[in-house]
Amino acid sequence: MSGQPPGPPGGQYRPQGYGMQPGGMQPQGQRPQQGAPQMGAMSGAPPGMRPVAVRPGMGPGSPAAPGSGGSAASGSFGGAPRPLGSGQLQSRGSSGLGQQPGAPPGGGYGARPPAAGPGQMRPMGPGGAPMANGVGQPGMQQPRPGFGGARPSGPGAPQQPGYGGGGYAQPPRPQPGYGQPPPQQQQQQQPGPPGGPQQGYGAPQQPGAQPGYGRPPAPQQLQQQLSGGPPGSAPMGAQGMRPPGPPGMQPGVRPPGPPGQFGGRPLAPGGPRPMGGGFAPPGGAMRAPPGPPGAQQPGGQPGFGGPAAGQQGPYGAPQQQHQTPGPPAFGAPRPPSFGAPAGPPAFGGARPPPMGGDSFGTPRSSVPGGFGGAYDTQTAGLAAQFEQLALGQGQNPNPGQPPDTGPDVPHFPRPLGAAAVAGEAPDPPDPHSCDPAYLRPTTTCVPGTQTLRNRWQLPLGIIVHPLSNQGRPVPVAQMGSGGIVRCKRCRTYINPFVTWTDGGRRFNCNVCDMVNDVPSDYFAGVDMTTGRRTDEGERPELSQGSVEYIAPSEYMVRAPMPPVYFFAIDVSAEAVASGVLPLVCETIKSCLDRLPGDERTQIGFVTYDAHVHFYNLKAGLQAPQMVVMSDVEDPFVPLPDDLLVNLAESRSVVEALLDSLPATFAANSQTESALGPTLQTVFLIMSGTGGKLLVFQSTPPSVGVGRTKQRDNPAAYGTDREPLTRKPEDPFFKKYSAEASRVQIALDIFCMATQYTDLASLGPLAHYTCGQVCYYPGFVAERDGAKLRAELTHNLTRETGWEAVMRVRCSRGLRVSSFHGPFFVRSTDLLALPQVDPDKAFAVQMVLEDNVVNSTVSYVQCALLYTNSNGERRIRVHTMSMPVVGELAPLYAGADQGAIAALLAKLGVERSLHQKLDQVRTELQTRVMQGLKDFRAMHAQHFRSHHRIIWPASLRMLPLYTLGLSKCAAFRGGQRDVAVDERMAVSLAIQGAGVDDILRLAYPTLLAIHDPSRGLSGDWGGTNDAGQFLLPPALSLESAQLSAGGAYLLDNGRVFLLWLGAGVPVEYVAQLFGVAATAVPNEVHKLPLEPAKDNPESKRFNALLGKLREGRALHQQVFVVKQGTPLEARMGAYMVEDATAGGPSYGDYLLQLHKSVLSAKPTK
């Protein structure tokens, strides 16, 4: 019944354990009758109680009892107390937490209270009087919840907490007849909880206090309850009867009746006896209820003697059906406490921090406190553990809540507004760890056992972004003459997590535990209080997780290489007609002054069509000399010494070549492309130095080695041949990239073909050399020239590391199992990176080496050895610590949904090379389902509604991100949805992208730049008090959000789409495009939006574009989509939350996910 508090009215809460089966009062070996309400579940506990399951003999060090919540607690019962992390439930053991001072071992929370001998413990009525009607006579034991068992009586007796006192509540021990004999241990007197005496049974009643749960009411109060309330009370409810109970008590709760009665009904001889409330049968033991154990009794609850639902109650009122409610739903008013102020926070500690906040749309501060005090700690802790979302109609099992009416679509989690921070990485557990911008783990904890790792179904890995420009600045450590300090065994670099011994003369490696001697010139004293070096503040390698060293000569196998840029330019008829050739030459010339390396930079050029053209750029020449190699079947290098020259010495010759190339090939009619032979000759030129090779391809390779074929076969989709269309057919390009990586040559591909080019074959050139692929389908200089110019400029002028290698080390118990990204694996754990830049990110997956991790903290260190553009050999080191946990809850609490989505995307791209796209999409959903399945199993006893999806707050966006990934160009649909080359371009970009870029691709941003219907016409474009640019409001990706009178900008990180409604004011369009209102054409998409026009609206819009493009490797073009035109279908492909041919709607996806979670079995 709505409003009924958890637990049986007038009775005690029955825990599991002591020979009882979970969920009820039946002997061992018997199961409850199907459909019968069961007691003892977590959701049936009074809000002031922390229900736990115990078993006989549970003492210090005992394992948790079955049904105790599994890994949702922060530690097993009986273990040593642990500090509570974010989102952990507080647990109590029989020692430490939950045991009062002076209690015997095993007498803590949930332990069996010892029996009371004659004349020792006497149950007393209100005011200290013995209870009447034969209850509480000498020699009778009164079971009483509290710490250690029954409470002493009489004047001066210490006050013990009970149900009525608030604060500390404990379930009573099971009684004989329920699987256990009565205990015979001697009762010991226990002091009260911290904070002073508590009002409880046997203590004097405070003036004005209400009888607590489990305390018999005073006669006057009892009369008021039976008569419907005191004078002036509220009238009877809709059922024809005011629920009995003191003022403020939750409706439907029946307090204990007068002596000899149960809930106001006379006890029948030999009938069932109440379970508490101050009543006990002679002998102090509870009798078993009549009928088979666990059977449904007439009162609707096992063991209760009241009438069934719909029958006549004891006072002529219809008896209402009792239900076992769960904890309160998110956003619901908190239930009132039971007759007394709530107790102090959990056992001497602060309230545990929530796992992720309240539910959607309900601020925590708006939830009122209950009757008699604040919301109790246990219910608050449970509520903060998870979030829930209604997916269908059904009765709400939570007290005080209306029935669910259907999917809660407006409150579906989305990364909009303040919720956009969900994509940000959580703070590392240790402040000495590196910034998450460099090392971003999928969860901030490490499972301590292989069993726990198997239960964590989500990826366990790290997104590595070694040169990210989004993190904190990396200091340079100045080492002494002794050089860089490292562990002699595992070669780990010195870091803030090493421990110092022997007064600072030695240090213990935090990765392999080896004791190393400290060089004499590196020695410093150690603070005996903190264990830290006294010079820690002066040495960044000892105080910060990220540091950079200047490598000495022993880290070099040759002199540091200079920055080398070699350009291979397609000059076929297609390249000339599309305008690529003059645009590329102009852009390269404009960047010559900004190429890194100063006087050391080297440069070279080669052009090709059906033949290969070399250019002598030797200093002192008046003009460049061209040499043509027509025999592409046997390539050679005609001028090996003068094709790669120093830019500063040959600057005039280089500029002359760039000025002459467009005119030289303006009338070229060659339609063939000899890309393979060109690459072979360039390899011979660059093999001595290494460097960056930039290839500009306008025509599919058709001459010589490496020629491609037309493999775009729509009939292959959905068959076993589908993955072959995404793999290179000719092994030449993969073999070439492996050799290029060996000699430190990196390749960047700029593909401007107007037809199928087979990027699946060309892609390995960039992938295995840490390069980049830029794709411009159907290139037209007037439309795509700005994009090519901006991306080529960014490529040439960004910070670049040369001839790099990277290694990731893990402490004992962990090891790296696989690497993912644009690199070539030189050995088992060494990645070869001919070039590396701030736009490249990698991923690693980790596994446990043994069944148990024998440490409390694990460490991961990434070391990148590279040459910067100034010729310095540098070592950039990032170190982080990760606590080892023994339960599943901390793993979910520390989960990073952004890192998980990015790692799943990289794994999906690799699997698409061997599996069909439909299988890849299914696997994305399966991984998320497995993660939510085990989380729901942790909390199944708290929320029993099967139409509500439950997820941790740390993963509330993960279903949406995986849905968006399944609808992006890399995984969406078939050949008719996405061209093969475009799919491969997006897939290659994902493999080297960081977390932010992947999340933006999965769920694009939709900005309302003009929407008068919502009042969003334009308070954006300026700056706030902090100097931050004000962005337009973001909307969810639903076509229903697009108003016919509005204008919206969509940003997915690769392209901008400006959607104009059919009813948008002509004046607004005219200002946006800088034309007269009378001159706005119907084909408005052909008008240029950039550069900014001389009016406020155009300037503000272009400022927005510039702000969004900041820090991105790709320059996003703006395409205009007018409502009602064929181009509008392009906008629909990015509406992630709509149902499309590429996948279900957001609501349907959640429903599918939820059904899979319910049908799956929890991992053991």
Side-chain angles (χ1 to χ4, degrees):
M1 181 178 63
S2 176
Q4 178 179 337
Q12 291 179 336
Y13 172 69
R14 302 288 284 175
Q16 299 174 5
Y18 284 113
M20 297 172 61
Q21 298 298 320
M25 302 178 297
Q26 57 274 0
Q28 293 183 356
Q30 298 190 23
R31 302 183 63 178
Q33 180 178 350
Q34 184 174 3
Q38 299 184 20
M39 301 176 58
M42 182 74 76
S43 61
M49 177 187 295
R50 292 176 178 271
V52 294
V54 295
R55 58 184 177 214
M58 178 173 285
S62 299
S68 59
S71 58
S74 61
S76 61
F77 295 104
R82 299 180 182 175
L84 294 176
S86 175
Q88 291 179 273
L89 291 175
Q90 291 189 346
S91 63
R92 299 170 177 75
S94 54
S95 63
L97 292 177
Q99 180 172 340
Q100 290 196 352
Y109 183 87
R112 296 171 58 184
Q120 291 182 352
M121 298 295 178
R122 307 301 177 93
M124 306 297 292
M131 296 180 62
N133 204 22
V135 180
Q137 298 300 322
M140 297 170 56
Q141 178 187 354
Q142 172 65 29
R144 182 63 206 160
F147 290 85
R151 86 180 62 247
S153 61
Q159 303 302 315
Q160 297 291 339
Y163 289 149
Y168 296 84
Q170 177 180 353
R173 65 179 179 85
Q175 303 298 327
Y178 293 89
Q180 284 292 334
Q184 301 298 329
Q185 293 85 350
Q186 183 70 21
Q187 173 77 25
Q188 293 191 14
Q189 178 174 321
Q190 302 294 335
Q198 301 290 332
Q199 183 72 24
Y201 186 79
Q205 181 80 12
Q206 298 296 331
Q210 300 292 341
Y213 189 84
R215 181 190 304 122
Q220 180 180 1
Q221 295 169 334
L222 177 64
Q223 183 62 30
Q224 293 175 357
Q225 296 167 8
L226 301 182
S227 62
S233 60
M236 297 182 180
Q239 300 292 337
M241 175 181 178
R242 181 185 182 274
M249 179 170 288
Q250 203 163 353
V253 177
R254 294 183 298 171
Q261 293 185 350
F262 169 59
R265 182 181 180 186
L267 293 175
R273 299 291 179 177
M275 301 189 302
F279 305 96
M286 297 289 291
R287 298 182 180 178
Q296 180 70 35
Q297 300 301 320
Q301 295 285 351
F304 286 82
Q311 296 181 359
Q312 197 73 7
Y315 295 97
Q319 180 70 27
Q320 300 188 21
Q321 176 72 29
H322 289 283
Q323 298 177 358
T324 303
F330 277 76
R334 297 175 174 176
S337 55
F338 286 79
F347 287 82
R351 180 172 299 179
M355 185 179 249
D358 290 330
S359 67
F360 320 109
T362 304
R364 183 174 294 138
S365 59
S366 65
V367 182
F371 172 78
Y375 192 34
D376 63 275
T377 307
Q378 170 69 6
T379 308
L382 291 176
Q385 281 287 320
F386 45 79
E387 297 185 354
Q388 57 170 336
L389 188 67
L391 295 179
Q393 297 183 359
Q395 181 178 1
N396 196 321
N398 303 309
Q401 292 296 298
D404 293 320
T405 57
D408 195 11
V409 177
H411 291 162
F412 281 6
R414 300 175 177 92
L416 305 177
V421 298
E424 298 180 1
D427 294 330
D430 194 301
H432 293 96
S433 293
C434 65
D435 194 299
Y438 303 117
L439 297 181
R440 187 166 176 177
T442 56
T443 178
T444 56
C445 306
V446 173
T449 63
Q450 187 63 49
T451 301
L452 184 60
R453 173 62 187 96
N454 295 337
R455 293 181 61 194
W456 172 256
Q457 296 291 315
L458 296 172
L460 180 64
I462 300 175
I463 303 297
V464 182
H465 206 155
L467 293 182
S468 173
N469 49 20
Q470 302 297 322
R472 294 188 297 264
V474 179
V476 178
Q478 302 294 335
M479 309 302 292
S481 58
I484 301 174
V485 181
R486 303 176 66 180
C487 176
K488 294 181 180 179
R489 178 163 61 191
C490 67
R491 308 303 293 162
T492 296
Y493 293 85
I494 193 77
N495 60 80
F497 305 105
V498 300
T499 55
W500 304 95
T501 60
D502 197 11
R505 295 178 178 83
R506 295 180 178 86
F507 72 90
N508 282 57
C509 175
N510 58 305
V511 172
C512 69
D513 294 331
M514 181 179 179
V515 179
N516 297 267
D517 294 328
V518 176
S520 57
D521 63 339
Y522 195 72
F523 171 78
V526 176
D527 188 337
M528 302 305 295
T529 304
T530 63
R532 313 289 297 185
R533 292 235 314 195
T534 55
D535 63 343
E536 179 180 296
E538 303 171 3
R539 291 192 173 275
E541 71 273 14
L542 301 180
S543 59
Q544 300 187 35
S546 296
V547 69
E548 199 161 73
Y549 301 96
I550 299 177
S553 57
E554 56 262 28
Y555 289 84
M556 308 176 191
V557 295
R558 63 175 184 176
M561 62 170 288
V564 175
Y565 296 89
F566 206 98
F567 301 92
I569 307 174
D570 186 350
V571 292
S572 62
E574 183 67 31
V576 175
S578 62
V580 171
L581 180 59
L583 186 60
V584 169
C585 293
E586 177 188 344
T587 304
I588 295 174
K589 183 179 179 180
S590 66
C591 293
L592 293 179
D593 291 328
R594 292 184 286 168
L595 291 179
D598 299 328
E599 302 295 326
R600 303 171 62 251
T601 305
Q602 297 185 14
I603 195 170
F605 292 87
V606 65
T607 59
Y608 62 95
D609 43 25
H611 310 113
V612 183
H613 320 112
F614 302 94
Y615 298 92
N616 183 358
L617 302 176
K618 185 177 181 180
L621 294 176
Q622 296 295 325
Q625 299 176 349
M626 182 173 69
V627 179
V628 179
M629 184 186 71
S630 57
D631 185 5
V632 296
E633 299 298 333
D634 187 15
F636 65 95
V637 179
L639 302 171
D641 298 329
D642 299 323
L643 300 179
L644 186 62
V645 298
N646 182 277
L647 175 60
E649 297 175 358
S650 303
R651 176 67 179 266
S652 59
V653 183
V654 170
E655 290 183 347
L657 173 65
L658 293 174
D659 292 337
S660 62
L661 281 179
T664 302
F665 295 97
N668 191 6
S669 59
Q670 287 283 352
T671 59
E672 305 293 337
S673 173
L675 176 61
T678 302
L679 294 176
Q680 290 178 320
T681 56
V682 173
F683 179 87
L684 299 175
I685 299 171
M686 300 181 65
S687 59
T689 59
K692 175 183 288 193
L693 171 58
L694 296 95
V695 178
F696 300 89
Q697 181 73 18
S698 298
T699 305
S702 57
V703 176
V705 64
R707 64 175 63 90
T708 60
K709 302 178 182 178
Q710 176 67 28
R711 299 190 298 133
D712 186 8
N713 183 12
Y717 280 82
T719 68
D720 294 337
R721 295 175 296 162
E722 177 187 333
L724 299 177
T725 63
R726 296 184 286 272
K727 299 173 65 175
E729 183 181 41
D730 191 337
F732 165 76
F733 294 105
K734 186 174 182 179
K735 292 179 179 179
Y736 181 90
S737 61
E739 289 298 314
S741 175
R742 181 180 58 83
V743 297
Q744 306 298 336
I745 298 177
L747 288 92
D748 291 337
I749 309 296
F750 294 80
C751 182
M752 287 80 61
T754 58
Q755 53 184 311
Y756 174 75
T757 312
D758 197 4
L759 274 185
S761 295
L762 302 182
L765 294 172
H767 176 73
Y768 292 108
T769 61
C770 199
Q772 179 182 359
V773 174
C774 297
Y775 181 55
Y776 311 85
F779 184 89
V780 176
E782 293 77 10
R783 182 192 63 197
D784 307 315
K787 177 178 175 64
L788 174 59
R789 185 183 297 108
E791 292 176 357
L792 179 56
T793 300
H794 176 78
N795 186 296
L796 295 175
T797 59
R798 65 186 170 190
E799 175 190 358
T800 303
W802 309 88
E803 50 181 351
V805 291
M806 187 175 72
R807 177 176 273 118
V808 178
R809 296 180 175 89
C810 301
S811 59
R812 286 185 173 180
L814 283 179
R815 67 176 177 86
V816 175
S817 61
S818 60
F819 297 87
H820 311 276
F823 54 80
F824 189 84
V825 179
R826 185 171 297 179
S827 63
T828 56
D829 62 344
L830 187 67
L831 306 185
L833 311 173
Q835 70 165 4
V836 61
D837 54 70
D839 301 323
K840 299 296 188 302
F842 314 89
V844 299
Q845 288 196 94
M846 300 182 297
V847 296
L848 303 187
E849 288 185 314
D850 303 314
N851 291 332
V852 178
V853 180
N854 296 317
S855 62
T856 58
V857 182
S858 291
Y859 303 93
V860 177
Q861 186 178 87
C862 169
L864 176 71
L865 174 63
Y866 70 100
T867 301
N868 65 12
S869 296
N870 296 325
E872 289 182 333
R873 198 72 172 150
R874 296 286 187 101
I875 307 172
R876 178 167 289 201
V877 179
H878 303 295
T879 311
M880 67 179 302
S881 68
M882 304 172 68
V884 178
V885 298
E887 302 189 7
L888 200 58
L891 293 172
Y892 282 108
D896 183 350
Q897 56 194 351
I900 293 174
L903 184 51
L904 289 177
K906 293 176 183 290
L907 294 175
V909 169
E910 293 185 1
R911 291 192 176 96
S912 68
L913 303 179
H914 310 283
Q915 298 177 352
K916 294 180 287 187
L917 291 177
D918 186 61
Q919 294 174 321
V920 175
R921 293 190 294 265
T922 302
E923 188 163 351
L924 281 174
Q925 180 176 344
T926 301
R927 294 298 293 269
V928 179
M929 179 273 294
Q930 290 172 338
L932 298 183
K933 169 199 62 177
D934 288 297
F935 184 81
R936 184 181 182 91
M938 290 169 53
H939 301 283
Q941 56 183 338
H942 310 313
F943 276 80
R944 303 179 179 180
S945 176
H946 293 285
H947 66 283
R948 303 185 74 87
I949 187 170
I950 300 174
W951 49 44
S954 58
L955 299 178
R956 61 185 182 274
M957 305 291 181
L958 186 58
L960 182 59
Y961 286 144
T962 53
L963 174 63
L965 286 174
S966 66
K967 292 186 176 183
C968 76
F971 308 112
R972 181 177 74 238
Q975 187 271 347
R976 292 179 176 83
D977 298 302
V978 183
V980 178
D981 284 343
E982 182 181 355
R983 189 186 305 278
M984 289 308 305
V986 177
S987 298
L988 292 168
I990 288 176
Q991 289 182 310
V995 175
D996 293 340
D997 293 333
I998 292 178
L999 295 186
R1000 194 177 297 114
L1001 181 66
Y1003 195 83
T1005 303
L1006 181 63
L1007 302 175
I1009 62 174
H1010 182 76
D1011 191 350
S1013 63
R1014 291 188 176 93
L1016 307 177
S1017 55
D1019 188 14
W1020 58 270
T1023 56
N1024 56 16
D1025 296 337
Q1028 298 174 333
F1029 187 88
L1030 295 176
L1031 295 174
L1035 305 176
S1036 59
L1037 291 177
E1038 303 172 275
S1039 56
Q1041 297 283 357
L1042 305 178
S1043 172
Y1048 308 86
L1049 182 68
L1050 185 137
D1051 169 22
N1052 77 332
R1054 298 183 62 86
V1055 68
F1056 287 132
L1057 291 181
L1058 176 61
W1059 189 90
L1060 299 176
V1064 66
V1066 177
E1067 295 77 14
Y1068 176 81
V1069 177
Q1071 287 195 21
L1072 202 59
F1073 290 91
V1075 297
T1078 58
V1080 176
N1082 292 330
E1083 297 181 343
V1084 68
H1085 62 276
K1086 295 183 178 181
L1087 295 178
L1089 283 163
E1090 299 177 280
K1093 310 304 185 296
D1094 190 17
N1095 65 77
E1097 203 63 52
S1098 178
K1099 292 180 179 179
R1100 184 174 65 159
F1101 179 76
N1102 278 267
L1104 173 63
L1105 297 180
K1107 181 63 179 179
L1108 296 176
R1109 288 169 176 158
E1110 285 183 2
R1112 301 183 184 179
L1114 298 181
H1115 178 89
Q1116 298 164 252
Q1117 297 173 265
V1118 185
F1119 293 93
V1120 180
V1121 176
K1122 189 68 179 293
Q1123 184 183 17
T1125 63
L1127 292 176
E1128 191 176 12
R1130 185 170 184 177
M1131 186 76 171
Y1134 299 100
M1135 295 290 103
V1136 173
E1137 299 191 31
D1138 288 345
T1140 63
S1145 66
Y1146 188 17
D1148 292 340
Y1149 181 77
L1150 288 179
L1151 186 59
Q1152 294 175 9
L1153 198 64
H1154 183 55
K1155 289 181 179 179
S1156 300
V1157 168
L1158 293 179
S1159 61
K1161 295 182 179 179
T1163 306
K1164 298 182 180 179

